[in-house]
Amino acid sequence: MSRTPTVAPLPWLQPGEAFPPPRLAWDAHAPLPGLLAAGGQLDSATLALAYGQGIFPWFSPGDPILWWSPDPRMVLRTADFRLHRSLRKTLARFRVQPGCEIRFDSAFDAVIRACAGMARAGQNGTWIVPDIVEAYGDLHRAGLAHSVECWMDGQLAGGLYLVNIGQAVFGESMFARRTDASKIALAALVAFARAHALDFIDCQQNTRHLASLGAREMPRDDFLALVHGATGKAPPTWRFDAVYWQQLHASDDAG
């Protein structure tokens, strides 16, 4: 006779209360694997503490704040980024096309709102709720969240936003209004990361698209060791220079 696995009660955090250790997150046998806690508050200080421990918020409209630390964790090692031949050709055109450029942090609020408004297969609505938009806007103004923007013909064509603590980079969400604009932004982020010895980009959840670009799952303990080793280092200056494209060498071509 089978027995339903026992699930530990979910901690409910009070504002300012410390997070439980990530190892206490619900495991693969629980209804929501990776869920660590609920409640608390969504402000810059709490977000910085969360990311420094490998924890992130993710919840739907009408839900309480939910905090996650999944095991395994999807991570893109910047050395493993796959620059497929088709994207290489797209980048070559983008780099010489007048009116096309990469910018950092010139339109953070527009980027996160565009990410919130993107329709995604298999999802109803968005997890980038107004409270998330406000909180990450504050985190951006605190210097810990950044946008990577792909501009074409003077218009914001696509991009992504991320959290950066020390030399740890935590990717959040991407959007594209024109073909491949989000992929161009990601390639720019990888080029910048390589130029500044940023070894990894946290991708949180496993998707086929991320896997095709070189991201892989790793045990949570290994991921937390990466975070611990990176967060105490000096962060880079978030400014893009076209010379960084040289970091994407021909050896990255995955066909």
Side-chain angles (χ1 to χ4, degrees), residues 86-104:
S86 59
L87 181 55
R88 183 179 298 282
K89 292 179 179 178
T90 297
L91 284 176
R93 292 192 297 268
F94 176 84
R95 291 175 60 186
V96 300
Q97 185 72 27
C100 292
E101 62 178 321
I102 294 294
R103 303 179 191 171
F104 284 0

Side-chain angles (χ1 to χ4, degrees), residues 126-180:
T126 178
W127 63 271
I128 308 175
V129 298
D131 286 349
I132 289 283
V133 172
E134 180 179 357
Y136 283 77
D138 290 343
L139 198 64
H140 168 63
R141 287 178 279 278
L144 297 177
H146 303 278
S147 57
V148 178
E149 306 153 14
C150 177
W151 289 79
M152 298 179 178
D153 302 320
Q155 301 293 319
L156 181 59
L160 60 88
Y161 73 99
L162 59 96
V163 174
N164 168 231
I165 300 177
Q167 292 187 1
V169 177
F170 306 88
E172 287 298 312
S173 186
M174 301 189 294
F175 81 98
R177 293 172 177 155
R178 293 177 61 170
T179 302
D180 289 335

